[in-house]
Amino acid sequence: MAKGNQKKLRGKPLTHSLLEHYQPIDGVVDEMVDASGNPRPVWQDFIEALEELGPEKLGQRFARADQYLRDAGVYYRVYDKAGANEREWPLAHVPLLIEEKEWADISAGLVQRADLFEEILADIYGSNRLIDKGILPAGLIAASPEYLRPVVGVRPASGHFLHMLAFELGRGPDGRWWVLGDRTQAPSGAGFALENRVATTRALSDIYGEMHVHRLAGFFRRFRDALIGMAKVSGGRVAILTPGPLNETYYEHAYIARYLGIMLLEGEDLTVSGGRLMVRTVSGLKPVGVLWRRLDAAFADPLELRPDSQIGTPGLVEAIRRGAVSAVNALGSGLLETRALQSFLPRIARELRDEELLLPSVATWWCGQESERRHVLANFDRMVVGPALSTRLAFEDDDSTRLGSTMSDEERAELVARIERDGGSFVGQEAVTLSTTPVYIGGWLEPRPASLRVYLARTPEGWTVMPGGFARIGFSLDPTAIAMQRGGQAADVWVVSDRQVERETLLPQEHDSFTRTMPGSLPSRAAENLTWLGRYIERSEDTVRILRAYHVRLAETSDPEMPLLADVRDYLEPFGIDVDSAIPLGLISTLDSAVYSAGQIRDRFSPDGWLALKDLSKTIHQFATTVAPGDDATRAMTVILRKLAGFSGLLHENMYRFTGWRFLEIGRRLERGIQIARTLACLTRTGAPDGALDMMLEIGDSVMTHRRQYPVQAGRRTVIDLLALDPLNPRSILFQLERLKAEIGLLPTVGGEGHMSPAAKEILQLNTAIAVMEPSDMTANALDDLAGEIGGLYNSLAKAYFG
């Protein structure tokens, strides 16, 4: 709509129109308005609803969506000169709207493309008809790093090479959708599409409810059921294989695993035994029948693929070769992402399917052919020229892909010479002019270039298309600015019908049968990280309690050389805790270790638990630069202690009592037993300074209990009785041993039913020995020895379950 145009909404003049300053770009299709500046039919009701809200309410609603994403911990990893950094997910608040009929045309074109790709892979890794007939150049395929010779001739166990695909689309100036890129390796973003939908509907729930928008859950339910069905055939489990927390889309891997109820594994969690792919669990080796990989195929097996891979599983290719596991997608499928291959797709479609492509690729010319090379050089200024074997989209690529018209004479001459000398290494592609879609900036809508990523999943009934996906939106009018690594944003995509749509969910229907999965399939690495999370949190809490007691007394005396304070300082120093700093680096390091352990198992964490832990970490890092010793530090420690208790409470009250919870609990109890024993040894020893026993009761959070239990002033025997030998005191050593005996006894049996594990025997012996002790038996040396024995339990657990 031209600037200054007046608009009426339902008969009422507007004082503020979102479209008042909206200026479509000449020669570019705009998704929201037509050539006359009027909203397209699918946008009409949506825009009117936004304008009814007005800028102030819209701002509040969009802030609500941003807050949801922060609370959920949604992030992506950016790699730049400063290294890898986590950034908040950049949501573009206004969704892209597409009519149902147009979406049906897009879906048909993509299903056709998916079927074609399946046939191409079957041919390349099978009979090679396309190469024999000269339709595909043998040299181009052989030169691609995505062509994996070890899997040539291997037929997938599932019968299909491809199961999950994504396609990047753009609408050109002629109004048609074009395929800008194919994602067949390990497509990312489906989980982010879900989070986009949740966040957007948080902000626009009333508008979303009134429009007939197709839901996303049915897509994921059908794909999950298809994966489970494939696994049943092989008698194994379904797992997602991730490169790990340092991957740029790791959040999504964990989110999808949690959403679908599928194990999230790293390469080290897996091993190949007897030709079968197995996951190391606390119950022993368990078979994996379907592996949905989210890492590039070349890194999957260091034995047969990249030998320098540290994230793969030796022997995986052999397990696939034997048909023992189905890979989603098949190893080697990344070959279809090769940029030069797009130039051959029209002819391949005619050869294999006797069809024309319903959705054509962006025009591409491989310079390894003379006529194509001449065409690229003759039209150099309007070509985007880049590496033939690149699997990145042109607007995602680095400086290796350039638009001819933007190059200097010297750069142009150099590149032309390289193309003439080695044309097979280059492709030319038609420069992309993307359509624009509205973004909300400062109270107004403004056009920005957009591409659309659409997902397809294979089911027993055929390909199903996600009714939406997500749009990548530029932060400026530069089409290269839509890449996430370059500051682009992501928007939800609403496929809008003119009638009611089915309200699909991930939940089973009333008549569907179900099976409750029994605990036990806990990967060993996850169990180890849960144990250490429990230990680090408990260690942090114990340190905070000691530091609070220290700073309370420092504030009262202002004499750091007071014997009791000197004792505490000497006690903490070997553990890296320097009390001269109000917030010691040793404490920060311990809490950072807890965050790291939790980050390794994000799929097993609730958003609330993760948010609480990150808030705790943020708080302690802020205090490190603002808090002074003494009274200020005392208050800070109280705040940290409350947040630690809140986090522990969330885990204790909300975690399902499966095997993972037991390892978390075991970690907490081990560490609490060790810390109480050590601190008791220091503060109840013969010759301990005045006030040591009172400080011990304070550290053990047992001051009030001691007053009720013992009608005398605190003495060494009463303090030891309460904090070491009282089975009802949740802070006592004996209480920790009782809990350890119970939880270790419920762990999966190692070595066959009826056999008690070494750890179970050790805790039983230790618990019995302590239960019959008297306070007088608990000397300082005995307490130090006891701390060592409790710590030794971890070694037995690690040997049995974490190896």
Side-chain angles (χ1 to χ4, degrees), residues 38 70 99 246 275 324 364 408 559 622 637 774:
N38 297 313
R70 285 192 292 271
E99 287 183 306
L246 293 181
T364 305
S408 67
D559 180 13
Q622 287 177 339
M637 293 301 163
E774 296 293 333

Side-chain angles (χ1 to χ4, degrees), residues 666-713:
I666 286 169
R668 291 181 61 219
R669 299 303 173 182
L670 280 173
E671 195 65 31
R672 184 175 292 185
I674 293 168
Q675 298 300 333
I676 289 292
R678 284 176 176 168
T679 314
L680 271 173
C682 174
L683 295 179
T684 65
R685 74 186 191 282
T686 302
D690 289 343
L693 296 177
D694 289 334
M695 178 181 272
M696 186 66 238
L697 289 173
E698 187 178 324
I699 292 169
D701 199 19
S702 297
V703 173
M704 297 300 296
T705 305
H706 186 276
R707 290 174 184 171
R708 288 195 300 267
Q709 294 289 94
Y710 306 96
V712 295
Q713 189 175 1

Side-chain angles (χ1 to χ4, degrees), residues 29 75 94 127 160 180 205 208 297 300 392 508 542 544 558 645 658 722:
V29 171
Y75 73 93
V94 178
S127 61
H160 298 287
L180 306 178
S205 57
Y208 179 81
R392 297 169 64 88
D542 179 78
V544 168
S558 299
F658 73 134
L722 181 60

Side-chain angles (χ1 to χ4, degrees), residues 222-234:
R222 286 186 282 275
F223 186 51
R224 178 200 61 189
D225 293 347
L227 294 177
I228 293 172
M230 289 165 56
K232 286 180 179 178
V233 173
S234 61

